[in-house]
Amino acid sequence: MNTISLAHGNGGKMMEDLIDNLFLKYLNNDIINKKDDASPVPEIKGVPVISTDTFVVDPIFFPGGNIGKLSICGTVNDLAVTGAIPLYLTVGFILEEGLPIKHLEKIIISMAEVSREANVKIVAGDTKVVERGKGDKIFINTTGVGMIGDKLKLSDENIKLGDKVIINGSIAEHGLAILMERNQMDFSTSIKSDCCTLSDLIVTLLSETNGIKFMRDPTRGGMATVLNEIATRYNVGIEIEEEKVPLGDEIKSLCKILGLDPLYLANEGKVLIIADREKSEKIVDIMRRHPYGRNSSIIGTIVDNNDQQVYLKTRIGGKRIITKLMHDMLPRIC
Amino acid sequence: MKKRRLQLEIEGIVQGVGFRPFIYRLARENNLNGWVLNTSGGVLVEVEGNQKTLEMFIRQIDEESPPLAQITTIKSREVSVREDSSFVIKDSRKTYYTQVQLPPDIAICNDCLHDIMDPTNRRYRYPFTSCVNCGPRFKIIKSLPYDRPRTTMKKFKMCPECNTEYNNPLDRRFHAQPNACPLCGPQLWLKKMSGEKCLTRDPIGLTIDLLKKGNIIAIKGIGGFHLMCDATESDVIANLRTRKRRPDKPLALMMNKLTTVRKYCNVGSMEEEILTGIRRPIVLLDKKGEKLPRNIAPGIRYYGVMLPYTPLHYLLFDKGIEVLIATSGNVSGNPLEYQNGGVFENLKGIADYVLGHNREIYVPVDDSVVRVVGGKKRVIRRARGYVPQPLMVGGLDNGLALGGDQKNTFCFARNKYAFISQYLGDLGNIDNYNNFKLMIDHFKELYKIKPDFVVHDLHPDYQTTYYASFYGDKIGVQHHHAHIASCMAENNIDEKVIGLAFDGTGLGNDGNIWGGEFLICDFKDFKRGGHLNYMKMPGGDMAIKEPWRLAVSYLNRLRYDKADIINLLRIDEVEADIILKMLNKGFNCPETSSMGRLFDTVAALIGLRKRITYQAQAALELESIADNNTEEIYHVSIEEKGQKYVVNTDPMMGGIISDHKKGVKRSIISSKFHNTVIAFTLEMCRLIRHKYGINSVALSGGVFQNKLLLEMLCAGLKEQNFKVYSQAKIPCNDSGLSLGQLAIASNRRKD
Ligand SMILES: [Fe+3]
Ligand SMILES: [Mg+2]
Ligand SMILES: [Zn+2]
Ligand SMILES: [Zn+2]
């Protein structure tokens, strides 16, 4: 049998085979191998941080990754941006009847790879199978536990005027890759999702610098949405310089022709940092030494603005407001 | 005869127009004693004398008031006799209620012009000469009542001579707040962009020399900086265009006198009157040949021309200069520069020099733009010279309507008056948005208003909608309904109309982009009686900037294949491929029924314009090439779908493509297209009249800036006995939305 059937989820022999031959084959470690209903983990020294996320991306395979890789990166990154070192993950699968087992295997292999890279252990798992049509191929939930150690802390100073906005590389890659794949806009491009784990980069950064006040991974809604959240939350304005925002040439020209604004497209391997002005150059230097930070750049500044707005200083000197999008992009100009 | 004493409360535009001296003279002539003073509510007068004289006095106030004054009410009540021994002008009094109406900024009057041209006059060549009949008002006023300490003139202490004029009720400069002379008033300077002052005793003379040598100079007017340069040298103009990043959009011209205007343009009598009138807007005038460089207004039929309106402007046209470019001092899309502080920074790399002065501008105001269409003066951009003059409109509540995001104006009302802000530009720009907020606060402060509610467009991503989100009581109004209501309010009609809302982009109730709408509406509600068929806009906003995408969209819909499309439109194959995929997959292709887009599509289809660099460029160029000598039309069909009539433009587009392929001249195609739009619009109106029994048609939306369309459509409708209403005092484009929004919201609140 080479597709998932309802029998894979009924607790019997088939399910056990699936667990042993697929899940445990790739995702094994000293804790999960015990196959207990619940897993004791070693004592955590520091402030524990917990995050959960559910992944339903369509398509499940895309250039640069798949739903499995994404489910690990997503939760690991959510932990990392709080300043925590990710330690453990739990994984829950909802499989739709008919999912090819080799697809599932491919997904699990990349989950294993990427969790090894991020140095996190998958300590508990669950699988359910739903009837054909009641799901969409595969949904994955991951919950992560991390720890904020003594040394790795965000600066507790408030965000203030003059602070800098930093990003670790080219934006819009994930969002564009997914959109193109989903809509079968199949023309030859080399666009790939930037999906990766940021914990190593962030740990390096926090251990070697200070002055980082805030971090967030600009996923859904892209950079524009996160910047607007920051502006509202801290009651500041943000100026972004178009020229400084890393953006691949191909992404740029594709966004133009498709009429998409890269600022609103999702990223899965990016971190936005707000840092003290004085420290920002050094932070960028350190980031650039890391493989996931080669194109790091200071892209903007916290400015005074009583309406908590974000704007883009364009190449030609205009100052375009980057709104919180209420809808998809609706034509606005006359 | 028994002596009586009356107190008169006079409201309207009665401050800063020489009203108190007028009252003073009148009282003295009639031998009446008492006093007059400015209040925040207008002017208050107390006079005593016999019944007959008092009656005569009141009649004269009404009949002989100064040219700039506009009295709306005179309330009189009897008070007890005080036995005053003279008539005096008293100091202003501040009250907390205000109905006062401010005068707009007014072009220099003939008397002042004489003063500055007369070598024996002490104001000879003095660029800040003004009197009670002319000069800046709105833009230098910080608060009311309008008195010198509350203007940006506060810092200039008048010399004894000016002071005498100021205090002499019989002088033209009596209480003229901007009164000044070379001894005591503002001073001009000419500086390099580095901020270094040019050492000259005659900054104007040097400026003229520099202009003649091809320099671009930022010159401070009364509402902001202009960028000026020689309008007869195409190289200089090209340079300005590159620096300002404004490749094609027409540049305004300032000409020294009417005879010069006549040399380059066709000027009708109404246009002449507007050009030389006190408001001095930019007037759009048909070119008389193309005697000036082509890059002033490439591809279009008219020039935007104004005559000088400040003493400084007049002085610039010395030494043989006749025509100057006078475009707004900014990088395209940014707000008008109006402060000495910002100009060196923001116009760096654009201007070569700055001719400025130390009189502060408190409120930036652009030049207004008007065009005479169908025998009526139509305001297209309402700013200097018009704002803040209110419009009489009944039934408006105490709300604040925020307008749209482009060509923004906001509007509020007090009693029977609607006050509409000056043109504030595109609020997608943060500086414009901040200026919009500032102006709202300024008007609130100036007129002491506290709006009970705000009104906004339904577009969720408009900045105006965002601004409204900070208010508790807010009302959303559909874009095209607001357009039509604006037309109804301006024309003071309150009945059901067929509203033709033809514009570029507005969000419809079905989530699509509307703009070719036949609404059945009154102030309260609307229903879509019909519309243009929907078409796809590949790439959303990008399809507006690049009309070739719309042409691909249409050709694809008419089943032309890729090779044909590439061939016909001469476009890049890769781009064509992507756009076709987007269309076929429905990827980022919003649907629109916009009339503006229909014009764009046609312009792109016939190879007239593939990409635009300013708003409505394709439509303007299409209008400009139209050859009026054909009466032919293309075929269209009107289909009844559900409750609505839908214009199917497919056959027309087919006809246009085949004409174009046959090599029919673009001017003929454009003309046939215009004829067709008029024909199907008339047919739609007939169908709707028949179905709903409505005979009044209200026209609004930016597409009606098209002169050909508006004139022919009005004529056609009148011929079919429709009652036709169009916009004149208020722009038909998105600048008019705020008034319509307020009218609708006020009516809805009455339930
Ligand atoms: Fe509009
Ligand atoms: Mg999450
Ligand atoms: Zn005067
Ligand atoms: Zn003086």
Side-chain angles (χ1 to χ4, degrees):
Chain A
M1 195 175 287
N2 46 20
T3 60
I4 293 293
S5 68
L6 289 174
H8 282 116
N10 66 5
K13 176 78 175 75
M14 280 180 76
M15 183 162 170
E16 206 175 326
D17 284 351
L18 188 72
I19 291 172
D20 288 344
N21 299 336
L22 215 55
F23 295 111
L24 288 185
K25 181 174 168 195
Y26 298 107
L27 302 175
N28 55 53
N29 59 56
D30 51 331
I31 299 171
I32 202 167
N33 286 352
K34 292 182 188 141
K35 298 210 281 185
D36 285 333
D37 278 348
S39 308
V41 296
E43 194 182 337
I44 293 175
K45 296 198 182 71
V47 180
V49 179
I50 300 176
S51 175
T52 190
D53 217 331
T54 303
F55 298 83
V56 296
V57 64
D58 167 37
I60 59 173
F61 293 100
F62 48 83
N66 58 51
I67 190 170
K69 183 179 180 185
L70 194 62
S71 70
I72 305 293
C73 295
T75 296
V76 162
N77 293 347
D78 278 353
L79 291 171
V81 295
T82 64
I85 300 174
L87 301 171
Y88 307 109
L89 286 177
T90 70
V91 186
F93 293 95
I94 295 169
L95 308 177
E96 186 192 14
E97 181 187 6
L99 174 73
I101 291 185
K102 66 171 198 298
H103 287 184
L104 183 58
E105 184 169 20
K106 209 171 154 190
I107 289 167
I108 291 169
I109 290 173
S110 45
M111 291 172 81
E113 274 172 15
V114 75
S115 49
R116 233 182 339 268
E117 184 191 271
N119 210 12
V120 284
K121 284 180 181 167
I122 291 167
V123 295
D126 176 56
T127 305
K128 294 284 180 315
V129 179
V130 295
E131 265 175 63
R132 206 181 285 273
K134 298 215 165 156
D136 186 10
K137 298 183 276 289
I138 176 170
F139 298 148
I140 305 176
N141 170 273
T142 53
T143 298
V145 179
M147 175 200 75
I148 295 182
D150 275 346
K151 288 187 198 136
L152 306 182
K153 268 196 182 141
L154 292 176
S155 159
D156 45 20
E157 232 188 293
N158 284 332
I159 289 182
K160 62 169 195 290
L161 300 191
D163 282 353
K164 293 293 175 186
V165 184
I166 300 168
I167 197 159
N168 62 320
S170 178
I171 59 162
E173 292 169 351
H174 178 75
L176 194 56
I178 293 285
L179 273 176
M180 307 260 292
E181 196 69 24
R182 185 187 303 156
N183 293 283
Q184 295 145 20
M185 302 293 289
D186 45 352
F187 22 86
S188 53
T189 67
S190 58
I191 288 163
K192 278 197 331 207
S193 166
D194 60 340
C195 180
C196 70
T197 59
L198 295 167
S199 46
D200 190 55
L201 171 71
I202 290 172
V203 168
T204 312
L205 213 47
L206 289 177
S207 52
E208 293 182 27
T209 63
N210 49 39
I212 294 182
K213 298 182 175 182
F214 179 91
M215 290 187 284
R216 178 64 59 81
D217 50 338
T219 53
R220 239 185 326 182
M223 205 170 95
T225 304
V226 171
L227 289 171
N228 271 293
E229 278 166 24
I230 298 172
T232 308
R233 182 147 139 201
Y234 295 98
N235 192 22
V236 292
I238 303 177
E239 177 186 276
I240 298 295
E241 289 178 67
E242 187 178 29
E243 249 168 353
K244 304 273 175 65
V245 178
L247 187 64
D249 286 342
E250 199 178 13
I251 302 256
K252 192 154 114 191
S253 56
L254 263 175
C255 279
K256 190 174 171 220
I257 186 116
L258 297 172
L260 302 173
D261 187 339
L263 295 174
Y264 292 93
L265 293 176
N267 309 278
E268 287 295 345
K270 291 293 154 336
V271 56
L272 261 178
I273 296 172
I274 309 290
D276 190 279
R277 179 177 45 189
E278 310 278 289
K279 313 282 165 57
S280 55
E281 299 279 351
K282 188 174 177 212
I283 290 168
V284 168
D285 282 346
I286 293 169
M287 287 169 78
R288 283 189 180 152
R289 276 183 241 141
H290 193 278
Y292 293 147
R294 288 228 173 80
N295 296 317
S296 296
S297 165
I298 298 175
I299 58 170
T301 311
I302 302 294
V303 294
D304 189 13
N305 186 294
N306 53 22
D307 262 3
Q308 307 155 350
Q309 304 225 63
V310 180
Y311 65 90
L312 187 73
K313 222 168 125 190
T314 63
R315 280 185 186 81
I316 62 166
K319 292 180 184 172
R320 180 165 65 88
I321 298 177
I322 306 301
T323 54
K324 289 177 212 189
L325 271 198
M326 300 295 168
H327 270 229
D328 287 344
M329 285 164 224
L330 281 169
R332 188 191 74 90
I333 61 178
C334 259
Chain B
M1 212 178 215
K2 199 186 148 213
K3 201 185 241 181
R4 300 176 60 200
R5 185 176 177 99
L6 291 180
Q7 190 187 65
L8 308 173
E9 258 180 77
I10 306 174
E11 292 183 348
I13 300 182
V14 290
Q15 289 187 9
V17 292
F19 204 81
R20 287 173 305 167
F22 156 71
I23 295 288
Y24 176 87
R25 264 194 317 272
L26 213 57
R28 300 260 287 230
E29 276 165 27
N30 288 302
N31 280 317
L32 296 170
N33 291 339
W35 47 259
V36 56
L37 63 77
N38 271 350
T39 67
S40 334
V43 163
L44 199 65
V45 184
E46 282 196 16
V47 275
E48 50 189 41
N50 68 48
Q51 175 72 18
K52 241 202 177 118
T53 325
L54 286 172
E55 272 168 24
M56 158 96 100
F57 176 70
I58 294 174
R59 204 167 49 241
Q60 283 176 317
I61 292 178
D62 207 33
E63 287 166 3
E64 295 168 22
S65 69
L68 296 180
Q70 263 186 42
I71 298 171
T72 52
T73 53
I74 303 179
K75 271 185 237 158
S76 116
R77 68 187 181 103
E78 182 119 18
V79 290
S80 43
V81 175
R82 289 256 181 80
E83 299 292 353
D84 288 336
S85 57
S86 64
F87 193 90
V88 292
I89 295 174
K90 294 218 287 190
D91 274 346
S92 305
R93 181 200 286 175
K94 216 172 172 177
T95 61
Y96 290 96
Y97 169 73
T98 171
Q99 177 58 50
V100 82
Q101 298 177 5
L102 276 178
D105 308 291
I106 284 148
I108 181 174
C109 72
N110 282 331
D111 292 333
C112 287
L113 201 51
H114 268 132
D115 290 350
I116 64 164
M117 296 303 179
D118 172 7
T120 65
N121 191 289
R122 69 189 192 95
R123 288 192 177 82
Y124 177 57
R125 284 172 63 79
Y126 182 58
F128 305 95
T129 303
S130 70
C131 73
V132 84
N133 296 319
C134 71
R137 298 284 188 278
F138 175 54
K139 41 195 92 156
I140 60 167
I141 296 173
K142 291 180 172 176
S143 65
L144 289 173
Y146 173 53
D147 270 345
R148 192 161 173 123
R150 278 176 284 269
T151 71
T152 64
M153 287 301 290
K154 181 184 172 182
K155 68 174 178 189
F156 302 102
K157 196 176 162 2
M158 278 180 282
C159 69
E161 228 171 321
C162 285
N163 208 36
T164 312
E165 294 167 342
Y166 186 87
N167 286 314
N168 175 6
L170 301 172
D171 194 283
R172 202 171 95 237
R173 295 195 167 90
F174 174 77
H175 283 218
Q177 307 307 349
N179 189 30
C181 78
L183 276 181
C184 66
Q187 297 298 326
L188 212 54
W189 42 253
L190 179 67
K191 290 179 181 174
K192 294 182 183 155
M193 292 313 284
S194 61
E196 188 193 331
K197 213 165 179 167
C198 299
L199 293 174
T200 171
R201 296 182 58 185
D202 182 12
I204 297 177
L206 184 53
T207 300
I208 296 170
D209 293 340
L210 289 167
L211 285 168
K212 282 179 158 177
K213 283 186 195 140
N215 288 285
I216 296 165
I217 306 192
I219 297 179
K220 195 171 179 179
I222 42 179
F225 282 90
H226 277 128
L227 285 166
M228 293 202 175
C229 69
D230 188 345
T232 58
E233 288 294 332
S234 69
D235 291 351
V236 176
I237 297 164
N239 192 11
L240 172 68
R241 285 197 174 280
T242 316
R243 292 186 191 179
K244 210 173 131 82
R245 297 178 199 267
R246 176 162 158 159
D248 307 304
K249 194 177 177 187
L251 296 165
L253 297 169
M254 187 178 275
M255 300 193 187
N256 63 336
K257 51 180 191 252
L258 199 56
T259 47
T260 310
V261 184
R262 286 211 195 89
K263 199 153 82 186
Y264 300 109
C265 311
N266 295 315
V267 188
S269 62
M270 188 175 246
E271 285 149 340
E272 188 175 312
E273 215 173 281
I274 303 165
L275 278 167
T276 56
I278 57 171
R279 302 179 198 277
R280 297 285 158 100
I282 295 170
V283 186
L284 303 185
L285 297 168
D286 281 350
K287 294 174 181 172
K288 199 187 260 181
E290 189 103 37
K291 290 174 217 156
L292 289 166
R294 220 195 83 84
N295 56 355
I296 292 172
I300 59 173
R301 202 167 256 194
Y302 56 74
Y303 289 128
V305 184
M306 61 188 145
L307 289 178
Y309 55 86
T310 69
L312 177 58
H313 295 149
Y314 275 101
L315 296 169
L316 286 173
F317 290 99
D318 229 3
K319 305 195 203 172
I321 293 186
E322 289 193 324
V323 192
L324 288 170
I325 299 284
T327 182
S328 54
N330 56 4
V331 177
S332 271
N334 283 353
L336 178 67
E337 212 50 62
Y338 71 101
Q339 280 162 331
N340 293 347
V343 69
F344 293 99
E345 172 70 22
N346 298 327
L347 298 184
K348 201 190 322 175
I350 300 178
D352 297 307
Y353 293 88
V354 178
L355 180 64
H357 54 72
N358 56 349
R359 185 175 68 197
E360 203 189 324
I361 296 171
Y362 193 66
V363 176
V365 188
D366 287 273
D367 291 319
S368 295
V369 179
V370 309
R371 189 179 192 184
V372 174
V373 180
K376 263 193 195 169
K377 165 179 159 183
R378 317 267 175 180
V379 178
I380 293 170
R381 182 164 77 192
R382 196 170 177 277
R384 178 183 50 77
Y386 293 88
V387 175
Q389 229 173 316
L391 201 74
M392 269 252 240
V393 180
L396 299 181
D397 284 355
N398 177 34
L400 172 67
L402 301 169
D405 258 26
Q406 302 206 298
K407 303 181 191 308
N408 176 272
T409 66
F410 58 83
C411 170
F412 60 90
R414 159 146 297 155
N415 297 343
K416 302 174 288 295
Y417 295 98
F419 293 85
I420 299 164
S421 77
Q422 73 270 36
Y423 167 93
L424 295 168
D426 178 1
L427 302 189
N429 177 298
I430 187 99
D431 291 334
N432 284 333
Y433 178 70
N434 285 333
N435 188 42
F436 158 82
K437 289 193 301 182
L438 218 68
M439 283 306 118
I440 290 180
D441 292 344
H442 181 57
F443 273 89
K444 275 184 179 170
E445 171 60 32
L446 208 53
Y447 292 95
K448 302 274 180 278
I449 48 162
K450 285 199 188 79
D452 296 332
F453 59 96
V454 294
V455 200
H456 61 91
D457 193 272
L458 293 178
H459 199 302
D461 300 321
Y462 271 5
Q463 282 305 309
T464 39
T465 306
Y466 177 70
Y467 183 88
S469 72
F470 294 95
Y471 277 78
D473 200 352
K474 46 187 178 284
I475 300 170
V477 169
Q478 200 278 325
H479 190 99
H480 302 95
H481 189 201
H483 269 308
I484 300 305
S486 176
C487 179
M488 292 167 63
E490 178 184 338
N491 288 289
N492 273 306
I493 52 165
D494 188 358
E495 61 186 64
K496 267 221 157 51
V497 298
I498 303 172
L500 309 192
F502 293 175
D503 72 350
T505 306
L507 183 61
N509 291 353
D510 59 358
N512 290 329
I513 304 302
W514 294 4
E517 308 308 309
F518 298 77
L519 306 181
I520 313 295
C521 67
D522 51 27
F523 281 126
K524 203 157 278 169
D525 232 329
F526 79 96
K527 151 172 168 181
R528 221 171 169 202
H531 59 89
L532 295 188
N533 50 356
Y534 280 121
M535 72 177 293
K536 288 186 175 140
M537 302 165 71
D541 272 347
M542 279 308 288
I544 301 171
K545 292 180 187 156
E546 301 186 350
W548 67 270
R549 293 162 181 257
L550 298 171
V552 174
S553 170
Y554 232 105
L555 288 165
N556 184 55
R557 156 151 142 192
L558 297 178
R559 308 237 149 91
Y560 282 80
D561 66 19
K562 189 161 100 189
D564 265 353
I565 293 175
I566 291 170
N567 215 340
L568 203 66
L569 299 177
R570 295 166 204 275
I571 50 174
D572 180 77
E573 191 178 337
V574 179
E575 288 190 327
D577 193 41
I578 298 178
I579 297 301
L580 285 169
K581 279 208 171 100
M582 290 173 75
L583 285 164
N584 296 331
K585 301 265 157 53
F587 180 79
N588 197 20
C589 289
E591 304 258 3
T592 186
S593 57
S594 158
M595 183 64 89
R597 296 295 88 79
L598 192 67
F599 274 76
D600 288 352
T601 310
V602 173
L605 273 176
I606 62 173
L608 186 64
R609 174 126 322 257
K610 286 194 193 117
R611 292 182 165 77
I612 60 168
T613 67
Y614 66 91
Q615 213 178 56
Q617 183 178 9
L620 266 173
E621 291 179 357
L622 190 63
E623 177 194 355
S624 282
I625 59 163
D627 173 329
N628 294 335
N629 291 323
T630 175
E631 288 187 359
E632 278 182 71
I633 63 167
Y634 294 107
H635 180 65
V636 292
S637 60
I638 292 174
E639 293 149 13
E640 197 164 5
K641 285 187 183 162
Q643 286 293 304
K644 300 174 303 184
Y645 293 107
V646 177
V647 182
N648 181 358
T649 53
D650 292 3
M652 172 182 77
M653 288 303 195
I656 289 173
I657 295 161
S658 86
D659 266 3
H660 182 54
K661 279 181 160 174
K662 272 187 280 181
V664 176
K665 279 200 287 185
R666 286 175 188 157
S667 56
I668 304 284
I669 297 179
S670 169
S671 192
K672 282 173 75 176
F673 166 69
H674 277 86
N675 296 342
T676 312
V677 170
I678 288 151
F680 74 63
T681 302
L682 288 174
E683 181 58 24
M684 286 287 277
C685 290
R686 278 195 298 265
L687 287 168
I688 293 170
R689 170 164 66 186
H690 186 75
K691 185 165 165 183
Y692 296 92
I694 303 169
N695 196 46
S696 292
V697 182
L699 314 179
S700 189
V703 169
F704 288 113
Q705 278 169 233
N706 182 320
K707 183 174 173 171
L708 190 60
L709 182 73
L710 183 59
E711 286 183 347
M712 285 169 62
L713 186 60
C714 284
L717 284 167
K718 280 173 191 158
E719 209 170 275
Q720 314 245 351
N721 297 315
F722 282 100
K723 188 101 191 63
V724 187
Y725 301 96
S726 59
Q727 302 217 264
K729 290 182 200 141
I730 299 301
C732 63
N733 56 47
D734 283 7
S735 282
L737 287 174
S738 55
L739 173 64
Q741 289 174 341
L742 191 58
I744 292 167
S746 300
N747 267 274
R748 287 205 186 137
R749 281 164 49 90
K750 294 201 166 71
D751 291 331

